[in-house]
């Protein structure tokens, strides 16, 4: 009997030790220290001040695997407070780490803050960038690539290489000058150029006959671009964490704040080819080129760059509608993406958000439902946690446009944890918009011209619309999204077009549960910076 019990004990201990080992293997920790400084670079041929991370412009690529934990100490050596936000990272139950002014006190000059977050149930191509002032216009941005765990299959063969392309508009005017332009009541000027990975010309090398992954992100401030590679087809495989049906394209539109992942097979004759990004929906077309170099090439790139699409809005809408969720593919989990039947859920609430460009007190502002957001000295998340009055009020922005005059406010829209909401993004302006929601991805179920109505729902894709974190809204048009509010916290919804965000086209979505539980939301970090009315407060 004693021997039998001993054998059982050994089996149990072996089980638990192996379980611990597996958990540790799946949820590793990675530690970084990033020092943020000023430096000089000449991205458009003119020497100018840029923001470096560990001496790099753009910043280091943050490479991770699903469910890894990131411990990242940011040391701010700038002359202004600074924050990084992790564009598209859901920060599950952890809006404390979101890195925007509504959730975090900025890192003071010569100070530091250690972010602690997990790549919980995510894969794909993402970016990070500064969320403070106009720092994003000077750099401080980089790629954030999350690879699938080895035990989860992906719906394509492993590529022979992996290239990251950060593409965006660029200004010769420094970030403080651009901020002064906005503060004086003027919109941003037209950009001076387009950069690929912070340079006017880059090169990417591959072997003939092999297939390579290109992770393409729009890291710019204001301008959509069209991406194409001379003589090559683009197979779209992933969009901001969603595997998609693998359609083949000649070129792809990428709007501000968006990321796509494509596969390209080097199946042409051995020479060099243009990689091209050119602005969309602009009277003046700016173009950046890079080079795709076949390793056995003896022929340099030549000839005119391949032309982009000539039809603007209709062509782009048709392409956007062709993006389809791959319902049978696994994502970060082993269950198929389409196992959550979003189209069968009746929304608990419809929210209509209309952007506008009012002049308030003689200065250009941008607004949502007539409210132009102004930052509080006290982060909203801290005010909520400590019950500090006078910082914000829930429903300080209405859930539909009222048609009344524009005003300034620290706008917060109250919602309930576990609601399933329909959000209509109504754009009555002549310029394209780009909207982002922190803490979530959402189903982009419809695009349409003119005013959205209840009848517009008949055009929704309720079967295989993909999920993503940033969507475009075409001029004088609407876009509809569905959001499952399963992530408690205080979440920023903003224009990804940074000048509009800076001048008020944003608000915060408070996803609230009256029952406080660590199962729903993590507690305040022990290293949380305190500022404004939260200074001197003690952890509850």
């Amino acid at each position: 009997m004693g021997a039998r019990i001993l054998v059982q004990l050994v089996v149990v201990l072996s089980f638990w030790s192996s379980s611990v080992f597996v958990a540790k293997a799946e949820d590793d920790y990675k530690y970084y220290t990033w020092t943020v400084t000023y430096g000089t670079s000449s991205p458009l041929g003119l020497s100018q001040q840029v923001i470096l991370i560990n001496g790099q412009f753009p910043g280091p690529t943050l490479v991770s695997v699903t469910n890894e934990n990131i411990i990242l100490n940011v040391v701010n050596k700038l002359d202004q407070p600074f924050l990084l936000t992790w564009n598209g990272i859901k920060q599950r139950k952890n809006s404390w780490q979101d890195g925007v002014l509504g959730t975090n006190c900025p890192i003071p000059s010569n100070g530091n803050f250690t972010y602690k977050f997990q790549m919980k149930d995510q894969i794909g191509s993402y970016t990070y960038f500064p969320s403070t002032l106009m720092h994003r216009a000077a750099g401080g941005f980089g790629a954030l690539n999350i690879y699938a765990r080895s035990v989860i299959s992906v719906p394509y063969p492993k590529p022979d290489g992996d290239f990251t392309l950060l593409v965006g508009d660029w200004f010769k005017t420094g970030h403080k000058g651009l901020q002064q332009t906005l503060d004086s009541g003027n919109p941003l000027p037209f950009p001076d150029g387009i950069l690929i990975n912070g340079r006017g010309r880059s090169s990417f090398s591959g072997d003939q006959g092999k297939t390579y992954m290109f992770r393409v992100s729009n890291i710019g401030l204001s301008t959509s671009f069209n991406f194409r590679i001379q003589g090559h087809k683009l197979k779209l495989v992933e969009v901001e964490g969603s595997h998609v049906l693998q359609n083949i394209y000649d070129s792809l539109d990428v709007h501000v704040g968006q990321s796509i992942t494509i596969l390209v097979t080097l199946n042409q004759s051995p020479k060099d080819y243009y990689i091209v990004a050119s602005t969309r929906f602009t009277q003046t077309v700016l173009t950046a080129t890079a080079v795709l170099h076949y390793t056995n090439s003896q022929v340099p790139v030549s000839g005119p760059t391949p032309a982009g699409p000539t039809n603007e809005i209709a062509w782009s809408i048709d392409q956007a509608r062709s993006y389809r969720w791959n319902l049978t593919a696994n994502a970060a989990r082993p269950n198929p993406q389409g196992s959550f039947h979003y189209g069968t859920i009746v929304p608990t609430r419809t929210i209509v958000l209309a952007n506008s460009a009012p002049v308030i007190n003689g200065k250009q502002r941008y607004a949502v439902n007539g409210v132009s957001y102004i930052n509080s000295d006290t982060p909203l998340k801290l005010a909520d946690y400590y019950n500090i009055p006078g910082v914000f009020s829930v429903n300080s922005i209405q859930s539909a446009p009222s048609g009344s005059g524009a005003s300034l406010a620290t706008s917060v829209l109250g919602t309930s944890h576990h609601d399933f909401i329909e959000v209509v993004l109504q754009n009555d302006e002549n310029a394209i918009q780009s909207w982002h929601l922190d803490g979530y991805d959402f189903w982009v179920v419809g695009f349409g011209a003119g005013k959205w109505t209840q009848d517009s729902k008949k055009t929704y894709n309720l079967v295989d619309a993909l999920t993503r974190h940033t969507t475009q809204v075409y001029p004088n048009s609407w876009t509809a999204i569905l959001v499952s509010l399963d992530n408690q916290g205080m979440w920023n919804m903003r224009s990804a077009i940074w000048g509009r965000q800076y001048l008020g086209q944003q608000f915060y979505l408070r996803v609230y549960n009256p029952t406080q539980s660590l199962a729903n939301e993590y507690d305040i970090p022990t290293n949380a910076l305190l500022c404004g009315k939260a200074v001197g407060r003690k952890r509850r």
Side-chain angles (χ1 to χ4, degrees):
M1 178 66 73
R4 182 177 174 184
I5 292 174
L6 180 61
V7 169
Q8 290 176 337
L9 180 60
V10 169
V11 170
V12 170
L13 290 174
S14 298
F15 169 80
W16 281 112
S17 64
S18 63
S19 298
V20 170
F21 175 79
V22 169
K24 183 178 179 181
E26 290 297 323
D27 300 328
D28 283 346
Y29 281 77
K30 287 186 174 178
Y31 298 85
Y32 303 91
T33 295
W34 285 2
T35 301
V36 182
T37 61
Y38 287 124
T40 56
S41 184
S42 304
L44 291 177
L46 173 72
S47 180
Q48 61 186 117
Q49 185 185 70
V50 296
I51 292 176
L52 309 175
I53 297 180
N54 287 357
Q56 299 179 45
F57 170 75
T61 297
L62 186 58
V63 177
S64 186
V65 174
T66 302
N67 287 355
E68 281 187 337
N69 296 280
I70 303 299
I71 311 297
L72 195 153
N73 182 30
V74 174
V75 181
N76 177 21
K77 293 296 183 181
L78 305 184
D79 58 353
Q80 296 176 320
F82 182 84
L83 277 175
L84 287 175
T85 191
W86 318 94
N87 200 46
I89 302 306
K90 294 180 186 177
Q91 305 291 3
R92 295 291 301 171
K93 305 188 296 184
N94 202 16
S95 61
W96 299 106
Q97 305 293 333
D98 200 25
V100 290
L101 289 174
T103 58
N104 295 83
C105 297
I107 306 166
S109 297
N110 295 313
N112 74 293
F113 176 71
T114 300
Y115 292 88
K116 302 175 183 178
F117 58 94
Q118 186 180 26
M119 306 305 192
K120 181 65 175 173
D121 292 334
Q122 288 191 259
I123 57 151
S125 304
Y126 303 93
T127 58
Y128 64 86
F129 55 79
S131 64
T132 39
L133 303 176
M134 289 297 291
H135 292 140
R136 182 174 172 179
F141 51 74
L144 199 167
N145 299 332
I146 310 176
Y147 292 85
R149 291 174 289 169
S150 60
V151 294
I152 305 296
S153 61
V154 295
Y156 49 83
K158 183 179 180 181
D160 296 294
D162 192 328
F163 302 126
T164 295
L165 287 80
L166 301 174
V167 184
D169 51 24
W170 190 258
F171 296 79
K172 292 180 179 178
T173 302
H175 70 96
K176 292 181 180 179
L178 294 175
Q179 181 184 335
Q180 187 176 21
T181 296
L182 294 171
D183 289 342
S184 66
N186 296 300
L188 287 180
F190 189 69
D192 296 300
I194 301 289
L195 302 179
I196 299 176
N197 289 347
R199 295 184 289 277
R201 178 64 69 94
S202 303
S203 182
F204 304 88
S205 297
D207 297 334
Q208 187 178 23
K210 292 186 177 181
T211 298
Y212 295 85
M213 175 176 283
F214 285 74
R215 301 175 181 270
V216 183
S217 296
N218 189 330
I219 200 70
L221 295 183
S222 61
T223 316
S224 303
F225 65 79
N226 179 266
F227 180 84
R228 51 202 183 270
I229 300 179
Q230 182 183 26
H232 291 75
K233 299 294 184 180
L234 314 178
K235 179 186 286 188
L236 186 68
V237 295
E238 178 257 324
V239 176
E240 294 163 15
S242 287
H243 290 306
V244 298
L245 295 183
Q246 296 174 14
N247 294 326
I248 306 297
Y249 300 89
D250 292 321
S251 68
L252 290 160
D253 280 353
V254 186
H255 305 281
V256 180
Q258 295 184 347
S259 296
I260 61 172
T261 304
I262 57 179
L263 296 180
V264 179
T265 300
L266 276 55
N267 54 8
Q268 301 300 304
S269 58
K271 62 176 188 175
D272 292 355
Y273 296 86
Y274 282 115
I275 298 172
V276 183
S278 58
T279 58
R280 294 279 277 147
F281 318 108
T282 58
Q283 289 185 341
T284 301
V285 177
L286 300 175
T287 300
T289 60
V291 173
L292 175 59
H293 171 71
Y294 281 43
T295 53
N296 57 343
S297 167
Q298 301 297 321
V299 181
V301 67
S302 62
T305 59
T310 55
N311 184 302
E312 292 201 340
I313 295 174
W315 184 95
S316 189
I317 290 176
D318 286 345
Q319 182 176 93
R321 288 175 175 157
S322 74
Y323 289 9
R324 301 294 198 193
W325 215 20
N326 187 336
L327 300 182
T328 62
N330 300 321
R333 295 181 176 184
N335 52 300
Q337 292 183 144
S339 60
F340 187 87
H341 301 290
Y342 71 93
T344 64
I345 303 172
V346 178
T348 55
R349 182 179 181 185
T350 296
I351 297 170
V352 180
L353 302 173
N355 54 270
S356 59
V359 173
I360 302 177
N361 299 328
K363 292 186 177 182
Q364 178 67 67
R365 297 288 299 185
Y366 299 100
V368 187
N369 288 356
V371 182
S372 185
Y373 185 87
I374 51 175
N375 284 303
S376 166
D377 291 338
T378 307
L380 311 183
K381 186 64 184 167
L382 288 175
D384 208 15
Y385 179 79
Y386 287 116
N387 296 315
I388 301 173
V391 176
F392 73 91
S393 62
V394 175
N395 298 322
S396 46
I397 178 174
Q398 299 301 307
S399 57
S402 64
S404 58
S407 61
L408 301 172
T410 304
S411 40
V412 176
L413 186 61
T415 59
S416 295
H417 192 207
H418 297 308
D419 273 358
F420 187 84
I421 62 173
E422 173 186 38
V423 179
V424 178
L425 304 168
Q426 180 68 53
N427 178 20
D428 297 325
E429 298 182 63
N430 292 324
I432 192 166
Q433 303 290 322
S434 188
W435 277 97
H436 170 84
L437 175 59
D438 280 351
Y440 290 92
D441 51 21
F442 45 73
W443 288 270
V444 185
V445 294
F447 300 94
K451 290 282 190 180
W452 177 89
T453 67
Q454 290 293 327
D455 283 343
S456 302
K457 295 184 179 186
K458 297 175 183 178
T459 68
Y460 285 4
N461 175 2
L462 298 179
V463 178
D464 60 354
L466 77 157
T467 62
R468 63 187 312 169
H469 57 69
T470 304
T471 187
Q472 69 274 24
V473 190
Y474 293 97
N476 299 299
S477 300
W478 56 266
T479 297
I481 65 176
L482 298 176
V483 192
S484 178
L485 298 181
D486 61 353
N487 196 12
Q488 186 174 322
M490 188 75 72
W491 302 107
N492 189 222
M493 189 161 188
R494 62 177 177 265
S495 173
I497 299 173
W498 209 246
R500 297 184 73 101
Q501 177 275 153
Y502 181 83
L503 290 182
Q505 191 176 319
Q506 61 170 309
F507 66 96
Y508 280 80
L509 198 68
R510 182 187 188 235
V511 182
Y512 180 68
N513 189 327
T515 303
Q516 298 302 307
S517 169
L518 292 178
N520 296 331
E521 185 175 21
Y522 299 142
D523 206 350
I524 185 172
T526 56
N527 67 327
L529 299 176
L530 301 181
C531 55
K533 295 180 179 179
V535 170
R537 301 273 177 160
K538 293 185 178 179
R539 182 186 175 91
R540 291 206 311 253

